[in-house]
Amino acid sequence: MNRQNTEELSRAEDSKNRILLAAEQIFSHKGLDGARVDEIAAKAEINKRMIYHYFESKENLYVEVLRRNYNKIYNLTKEAIVPGAAPQENAERALRRYFYFLAQDEEFVRLVSWEALQQGRYGSKVLPELLYLLQEDLGQILREGIEQGVFRQDLDIRHTLLSIHALCHVYFNRHDMVQPMWPTDRMSEDMLESRLQHILDLVFHGILSPTKRADFSK
Amino acid sequence: MNRQNTEELSRAEDSKNRILLAAEQIFSHKGLDGARVDEIAAKAEINKRMIYHYFESKENLYVEVLRRNYNKIYNLTKEAIVPGAAPQENAERALRRYFYFLAQDEEFVRLVSWEALQQGRYGSKVLPELLYLLQEDLGQILREGIEQGVFRQDLDIRHTLLSIHALCHVYFNRHDMVQPMWPTDRMSEDMLESRLQHILDLVFHGILSPTKRADFSK
Amino acid sequence: MNRQNTEELSRAEDSKNRILLAAEQIFSHKGLDGARVDEIAAKAEINKRMIYHYFESKENLYVEVLRRNYNKIYNLTKEAIVPGAAPQENAERALRRYFYFLAQDEEFVRLVSWEALQQGRYGSKVLPELLYLLQEDLGQILREGIEQGVFRQDLDIRHTLLSIHALCHVYFNRHDMVQPMWPTDRMSEDMLESRLQHILDLVFHGILSPTKRADFSK
Amino acid sequence: MNRQNTEELSRAEDSKNRILLAAEQIFSHKGLDGARVDEIAAKAEINKRMIYHYFESKENLYVEVLRRNYNKIYNLTKEAIVPGAAPQENAERALRRYFYFLAQDEEFVRLVSWEALQQGRYGSKVLPELLYLLQEDLGQILREGIEQGVFRQDLDIRHTLLSIHALCHVYFNRHDMVQPMWPTDRMSEDMLESRLQHILDLVFHGILSPTKRADFSK
DNA sequence: TATGAATGAGCTTTCATTCAT
DNA sequence: AATGAATGAAAGCTCATTCAT
């Protein structure tokens, strides 16, 4: 009985998962309005009815997909911070981790972007966590760096966080711009690393404290 | 007869314009799939039938809106370049102009973003112009700066252009992130200027050539 | 222009009417849940879409049908009352009128019955008018009759009204009981008149005041 | 093994009963079309599948519920007839019994009404029994009364039976009319008794033979 | 006997598009 | 040039019913 229950449960759990996975792909590519429930059902290889059984509505399924995705970054940067390490080192580690997380999961990037355009109507319940992450973890690194005199004293932390976010996302986001700019495969190891290096370059040599640089006469 | 024709024509022009304006607003806020032809007709205060008369289909109207918007930046940065002026000065002028152009026309920003997510399916015919602008005009400034030794010799122009784009757009794009980060009105003069200053800071002190800065030991 | 408008309007009005008529028939026979929008559209010889254009939802169409039907009895009994005439005469006239109104419009009877079973969920907004009619008009006759000593002093007006309603409706309502009880056509002139006579008999000789009858020892 | 079988059987009986009870409630409130199999299963606290196991289909379950209900009145009035008692006394006893039977089991009333509206499509197999009851038992009393000269010679038995039925049912049927007419609880002891008294009054003083009343000049 | 998961057919509703004037 | 009315195709969603265990 117990085993049977377990089996049953796992079958249901499996179906739910297949739906979520299919939905994730389709929502991330076509958005909420562009996605078709039939298409999701077909991709999940399940009867459309089950989608409503498990998620009640298309909109709700979308929110669930969002929630699942936002959860992915919960523990992402936390681990990146090594207490006692140099702020610059911590920052680079966190940034690199963030960048490669996005590289690994373009669907996440796209979902976040759809949400942004839809004015966060659906994800607003789950978005704050993303901001929390950026502001608390990455922000913490920046604050420490400023205190220790490694980063510029006049650094605007919030703008900097937004900029880091932008510099990473744009590469995965703006498919349409990136593709025509480079002949190489956008997602090749080399290309990724070169983009990350550019970001680190840009970010650090903009945020390094004046004492680290002799001439800061703008 | 002639006068009547003129009147008719101008009335027609007017109708067409009202449709385009209404469409622009609605498409920019809801995307192609989210927009409703009825809504556009209502906003344009015109009979729905006229939309098909003038534009043949919803999709076509969308492309027309895109084209109109991409045209806006044709002459944007060209004027920003003052031949003979210092590259840094030219770059700042162009960047400022670009940033305030976006600030003035958020609908443009949003339309471009929708397009990006839709994999440039509709705007692909018109997008190249945007890239042209960035690569030719702003890119030209960067190239000159490198040649003149003002900007770093190892600067990746393409990445830099993409980054500038990202740093500007993100502020108008990610409504959902920006709003909760600052208490002040996102579009107030002060906030806009502070964002622009941050971008200039970040960009320049990352791209200035090593000779301009004493210590560039990365 | 004006004529065109009139024509257009009447065409729309006509469509709306066709929908209402078709809906009335189908709702009255199958109820709200049993009715199919497709069936209504087919019967109205109109595109299903128009139903939603004019009535917004199936439920709303149902309410509209109810309203239309309840309106039918607005002026029904009012005209039956001849001021100054004997209460018994007025009552008979009103009752006869009511009975033949139901006979003429079985759909009305059925709609009212569906509503009753659905606990007046949809018609509750419109039902009060029906009650008003019974209580004000027919009730007025009864009150006068009591005052004039023609009807029993202890007559419960509300119960009597309810009973009159029941005695009339049951004949058109309980198709399933009536049909097997009589060999003749339920709706033939003779049958209708015999039913009405029975009702009048039952009602009057129950409500006539004791002074009109020698022995009222129950 | 035997005991287990017994247990299984009684458990089965119990399940069947729970289903029937739940179905009765839901069908009586929402009708065949309005009822949901899921809802019935939930109310019966049983797996939906069992409904099909025991009853094969929703429609079949409905018929079973009807049959069960119609059976309730089998022996209802039979016992009411006391041979040799005065017809009026017997009639009153039967009528009272019928009225309070309905009062006790409103679900029965509602089911009968749904059936009537659905043109007796499903109950036609079981309805005759109800008619039998009325015509045989109550009808018998009326016939005796006429023979004995207690009831009017010109009394139409069938119409009278139909009327009695209507006068009783309407009170439990037309929830929507009754509720707004009285401030008191519709089902309170006082209200029920007052309704019954009204019916008896109405019925008897309409059907009592002329010899029992001094003046029957219609 | 009992169950959780699944299904297909069909429902209400929506939408871009076209007809008739 | 302009409009109100109408449409077909397809969307989201629901339901009675059955499968697998």
Side-chain angles (χ1 to χ4, degrees):
Chain A
M1 198 65 171
N2 212 333
R3 211 180 75 200
Q4 198 188 2
N5 259 349
T6 319
E7 274 170 22
E8 293 291 325
L9 262 172
S10 69
R11 204 144 80 84
E13 220 48 47
D14 180 55
S15 296
K16 239 181 124 167
N17 257 310
R18 286 212 315 284
I19 294 170
L20 278 167
L21 249 64
E24 190 174 298
Q25 285 185 61
I26 291 174
F27 280 138
S28 78
H29 282 281
K30 312 199 173 178
L32 174 56
D33 289 315
R36 296 290 157 247
V37 174
D38 279 287
E39 203 184 352
I40 294 172
K43 182 157 225 147
E45 287 183 310
I46 206 159
N47 187 283
K48 196 179 12 169
R49 183 65 187 78
M50 298 315 281
I51 291 179
Y52 291 92
H53 180 60
Y54 287 123
F55 299 97
E56 307 215 309
S57 73
K58 180 190 181 185
E59 199 176 282
N60 215 65
L61 173 58
Y62 179 69
V63 171
E64 219 50 55
V65 166
L66 278 187
R67 189 189 316 283
R68 230 168 109 106
N69 270 278
Y70 283 148
N71 276 343
K72 288 179 186 170
I73 41 171
Y74 243 140
N75 308 308
L76 183 68
T77 48
K78 285 230 173 61
E79 312 157 12
I81 306 176
V82 175
Q88 184 167 357
E89 204 182 300
N90 267 336
E92 175 168 346
R93 206 181 291 113
L95 215 157
R96 170 178 292 275
R97 198 176 269 260
Y98 189 51
F99 181 80
Y100 274 107
F101 163 70
L102 299 181
Q104 240 189 318
D105 195 346
E106 284 202 278
E107 261 142 33
F108 170 83
V109 179
R110 297 179 60 79
L111 281 168
V112 166
S113 301
W114 283 112
E115 252 315 274
L117 280 177
Q118 264 154 5
Q119 339 233 32
R121 223 175 321 175
Y122 303 101
S124 59
K125 309 146 196 167
V126 257
L127 177 71
E129 289 156 16
L130 175 64
L131 293 175
Y132 176 85
L133 162 93
L134 277 171
Q135 298 212 22
E136 291 307 302
D137 295 354
L138 248 170
Q140 182 53 31
I141 296 174
L142 293 180
R143 270 187 292 276
E144 276 179 28
I146 293 170
E147 273 169 32
Q148 294 179 26
V150 183
F151 298 147
R152 285 200 344 242
Q153 300 300 313
D154 63 342
L155 197 65
D156 186 319
I157 292 180
R158 290 175 293 187
H159 274 303
T160 309
L161 291 172
L162 191 62
S163 294
I164 288 173
H165 166 90
L167 292 170
C168 292
H169 272 251
V170 74
Y171 187 73
F172 306 109
N173 230 354
R174 296 297 316 253
H175 212 126
D176 60 328
M177 289 186 82
V178 173
Q179 205 72 304
M181 284 176 104
W182 283 274
T184 352
D185 174 23
R186 197 173 56 96
M187 297 303 284
S188 76
E189 224 175 293
D190 285 0
M191 275 298 292
L192 288 173
E193 192 58 25
S194 96
R195 175 68 195 168
L196 176 57
Q197 284 309 328
H198 163 80
I199 295 172
L200 291 169
D201 248 34
L202 191 61
V203 168
F204 282 128
H205 300 108
I207 65 174
L208 280 182
S209 109
T211 66
K212 289 282 160 180
R213 292 179 277 134
D215 179 11
F216 187 66
S217 64
K218 191 194 118 199
Chain B
M1 201 62 171
N2 210 334
R3 211 178 78 198
Q4 201 192 356
N5 260 350
T6 320
E7 273 172 22
E8 293 290 324
L9 263 171
S10 67
R11 245 182 95 201
E13 270 325 295
D14 180 54
S15 296
K16 239 182 124 168
N17 253 310
R18 285 214 314 283
I19 294 170
L20 280 166
L21 248 65
E24 188 174 299
Q25 284 186 63
I26 292 173
F27 280 138
S28 77
H29 281 281
K30 313 198 171 177
L32 174 57
D33 289 317
R36 297 289 157 250
V37 174
D38 279 285
E39 205 185 349
I40 293 171
K43 184 157 220 147
E45 290 183 308
I46 208 157
N47 188 281
K48 196 173 22 166
R49 188 65 189 78
M50 297 318 287
I51 292 178
Y52 291 91
H53 181 62
Y54 289 122
F55 300 97
E56 306 213 309
S57 75
K58 180 191 182 184
E59 202 174 280
N60 216 64
L61 172 58
Y62 180 68
V63 172
E64 218 51 53
V65 167
L66 278 186
R67 189 189 314 282
R68 225 167 112 109
N69 269 276
Y70 283 147
N71 276 343
K72 289 179 188 170
I73 41 170
Y74 245 142
N75 307 308
L76 183 69
T77 48
K78 285 232 172 62
E79 313 158 12
I81 307 176
V82 176
Q88 184 167 356
E89 205 182 298
N90 268 336
E92 176 169 345
R93 206 181 291 113
L95 216 158
R96 172 177 289 274
R97 198 176 270 260
Y98 189 52
F99 181 80
Y100 274 107
F101 163 71
L102 300 180
Q104 241 188 316
D105 196 346
E106 283 202 278
E107 261 141 34
F108 170 82
V109 180
R110 297 180 60 80
L111 281 168
V112 165
S113 301
W114 283 111
E115 254 315 276
L117 279 175
Q118 265 155 4
Q119 341 234 32
R121 222 177 322 172
Y122 303 101
S124 59
K125 309 147 196 166
V126 257
L127 177 73
E129 289 156 16
L130 175 65
L131 294 175
Y132 175 86
L133 163 92
L134 277 171
Q135 298 212 22
E136 291 307 303
D137 297 353
L138 247 170
Q140 181 55 31
I141 296 173
L142 293 180
R143 271 187 293 275
E144 277 179 27
I146 293 170
E147 272 169 31
Q148 293 179 25
V150 182
F151 298 147
R152 286 199 344 243
Q153 298 302 311
D154 63 343
L155 196 67
D156 186 319
I157 291 180
R158 288 173 298 187
H159 273 305
T160 309
L161 291 173
L162 191 63
S163 293
I164 287 173
H165 166 91
L167 292 170
C168 293
H169 273 250
V170 74
Y171 188 73
F172 306 108
N173 233 353
R174 295 297 317 251
H175 209 129
D176 61 327
M177 290 186 80
V178 173
Q179 204 74 305
M181 286 176 103
W182 283 274
T184 353
D185 174 24
R186 195 173 57 95
M187 297 305 282
S188 74
E189 224 175 294
D190 284 1
M191 274 300 291
L192 289 172
E193 192 59 24
S194 98
R195 176 67 195 168
L196 176 56
Q197 284 308 327
H198 163 81
I199 295 173
L200 290 170
D201 248 36
L202 191 62
V203 168
F204 283 127
H205 300 107
I207 64 173
L208 282 181
S209 107
T211 65
K212 289 280 159 183
R213 290 180 278 135
D215 179 10
F216 188 67
S217 61
K218 193 192 116 194
Chain C
M1 199 65 171
N2 211 332
R3 210 179 77 198
Q4 200 187 1
N5 258 349
T6 319
E7 274 170 23
E8 293 291 325
L9 262 171
S10 69
R11 203 142 84 85
E13 219 47 46
D14 179 55
S15 296
K16 240 181 123 169
N17 255 310
R18 285 213 314 285
I19 294 170
L20 278 166
L21 248 64
E24 190 175 297
Q25 284 186 62
I26 292 174
F27 281 138
S28 78
H29 281 281
K30 312 198 171 178
L32 174 57
D33 289 315
R36 296 291 158 247
V37 174
D38 278 288
E39 205 185 349
I40 294 171
K43 183 157 223 148
E45 287 184 307
I46 206 160
N47 187 283
K48 200 180 4 173
R49 184 64 186 80
M50 297 316 281
I51 291 178
Y52 290 92
H53 179 61
Y54 289 123
F55 299 97
E56 307 212 309
S57 74
K58 180 190 180 184
E59 200 175 281
N60 214 66
L61 173 57
Y62 179 69
V63 172
E64 219 51 53
V65 166
L66 278 187
R67 189 189 314 283
R68 230 168 109 107
N69 270 276
Y70 282 149
N71 276 341
K72 288 180 187 169
I73 40 171
Y74 243 142
N75 307 309
L76 183 68
T77 48
K78 284 227 173 65
E79 312 157 12
I81 306 175
V82 175
Q88 182 166 358
E89 202 182 303
N90 268 335
E92 174 168 347
R93 205 182 291 113
L95 215 158
R96 171 177 292 273
R97 198 176 269 260
Y98 189 52
F99 181 80
Y100 274 107
F101 163 69
L102 300 180
Q104 240 189 316
D105 195 346
E106 283 203 277
E107 260 142 34
F108 171 83
V109 178
R110 296 180 61 80
L111 281 169
V112 166
S113 301
W114 282 111
E115 253 315 276
L117 281 176
Q118 265 156 4
Q119 338 233 32
R121 221 175 322 174
Y122 303 101
S124 58
K125 308 147 197 166
V126 256
L127 176 73
E129 289 156 16
L130 174 67
L131 293 175
Y132 175 86
L133 163 92
L134 277 171
Q135 297 213 23
E136 290 307 302
D137 295 353
L138 249 170
Q140 182 54 30
I141 296 174
L142 293 179
R143 269 188 293 275
E144 277 179 28
I146 294 171
E147 274 169 33
Q148 295 179 23
V150 183
F151 298 147
R152 286 199 346 243
Q153 299 302 311
D154 64 342
L155 196 66
D156 185 319
I157 291 180
R158 288 174 296 187
H159 273 305
T160 308
L161 291 173
L162 191 63
S163 294
I164 288 173
H165 167 89
L167 292 170
C168 291
H169 272 252
V170 74
Y171 188 72
F172 306 108
N173 232 353
R174 296 298 316 252
H175 211 128
D176 61 328
M177 289 186 81
V178 174
Q179 206 72 304
M181 285 175 102
W182 283 274
T184 353
D185 174 23
R186 194 174 56 96
M187 297 304 282
S188 76
E189 223 175 293
D190 284 359
M191 275 300 290
L192 289 172
E193 192 59 24
S194 96
R195 176 67 195 168
L196 176 56
Q197 282 310 327
H198 163 79
I199 296 173
L200 290 169
D201 247 35
L202 191 62
V203 169
F204 282 127
H205 299 107
I207 65 174
L208 280 183
S209 106
T211 65
K212 290 281 159 182
R213 292 180 277 131
D215 178 11
F216 188 67
S217 64
K218 194 191 114 200
Chain D
M1 200 64 171
N2 210 333
R3 212 180 76 198
Q4 202 192 356
N5 260 349
T6 321
E7 272 172 23
E8 293 289 325
L9 263 171
S10 68
R11 244 182 94 201
E13 269 326 294
D14 180 53
S15 296
K16 239 181 122 169
N17 254 309
R18 285 215 313 284
I19 294 170
L20 279 167
L21 247 64
E24 187 175 300
Q25 284 185 63
I26 292 174
F27 280 138
S28 77
H29 282 281
K30 312 197 172 178
L32 174 58
D33 288 316
R36 298 288 158 250
V37 174
D38 278 285
E39 203 184 353
I40 293 171
K43 182 154 223 151
E45 288 182 311
I46 207 155
N47 188 281
K48 195 172 24 165
R49 188 66 187 78
M50 297 318 287
I51 291 178
Y52 291 91
H53 181 63
Y54 288 123
F55 300 96
E56 308 212 307
S57 74
K58 179 190 182 185
E59 201 175 282
N60 217 63
L61 172 57
Y62 179 68
V63 172
E64 218 51 54
V65 167
L66 278 187
R67 188 189 315 283
R68 225 168 112 108
N69 269 277
Y70 283 147
N71 277 342
K72 289 178 186 170
I73 41 171
Y74 245 140
N75 309 308
L76 181 70
T77 47
K78 285 232 170 62
E79 314 157 11
I81 306 177
V82 176
Q88 183 167 358
E89 205 181 299
N90 268 336
E92 175 168 346
R93 205 182 291 112
L95 214 158
R96 171 177 293 275
R97 197 175 269 262
Y98 188 53
F99 181 81
Y100 274 107
F101 163 70
L102 300 181
Q104 239 189 317
D105 195 346
E106 283 201 279
E107 262 140 34
F108 170 82
V109 180
R110 297 179 59 79
L111 281 169
V112 165
S113 301
W114 283 111
E115 254 315 275
L117 278 176
Q118 264 154 5
Q119 342 234 29
R121 226 177 319 175
Y122 302 101
S124 59
K125 309 145 197 167
V126 257
L127 177 71
E129 289 157 17
L130 175 65
L131 293 175
Y132 175 88
L133 161 94
L134 276 171
Q135 298 212 21
E136 290 307 304
D137 296 353
L138 246 170
Q140 181 55 32
I141 296 173
L142 292 181
R143 271 187 292 277
E144 277 179 27
I146 293 170
E147 272 168 31
Q148 293 178 27
V150 182
F151 297 148
R152 286 199 344 241
Q153 299 303 313
D154 63 342
L155 196 66
D156 185 320
I157 292 180
R158 290 173 294 187
H159 273 306
T160 309
L161 291 172
L162 191 63
S163 294
I164 288 173
H165 166 91
L167 292 170
C168 291
H169 272 251
V170 74
Y171 188 73
F172 306 109
N173 231 353
R174 295 296 316 250
H175 209 129
D176 61 328
M177 288 187 81
V178 173
Q179 204 72 306
M181 284 177 102
W182 282 275
T184 352
D185 174 24
R186 196 172 57 94
M187 297 304 283
S188 76
E189 221 174 294
D190 285 0
M191 275 299 292
L192 288 173
E193 192 59 25
S194 97
R195 174 68 194 167
L196 176 57
Q197 284 309 328
H198 164 80
I199 294 173
L200 290 170
D201 248 36
L202 191 62
V203 168
F204 283 128
H205 300 107
I207 67 174
L208 280 182
S209 107
T211 65
K212 287 282 160 184
R213 292 180 275 133
D215 179 11
F216 187 67
S217 63
K218 195 190 116 199

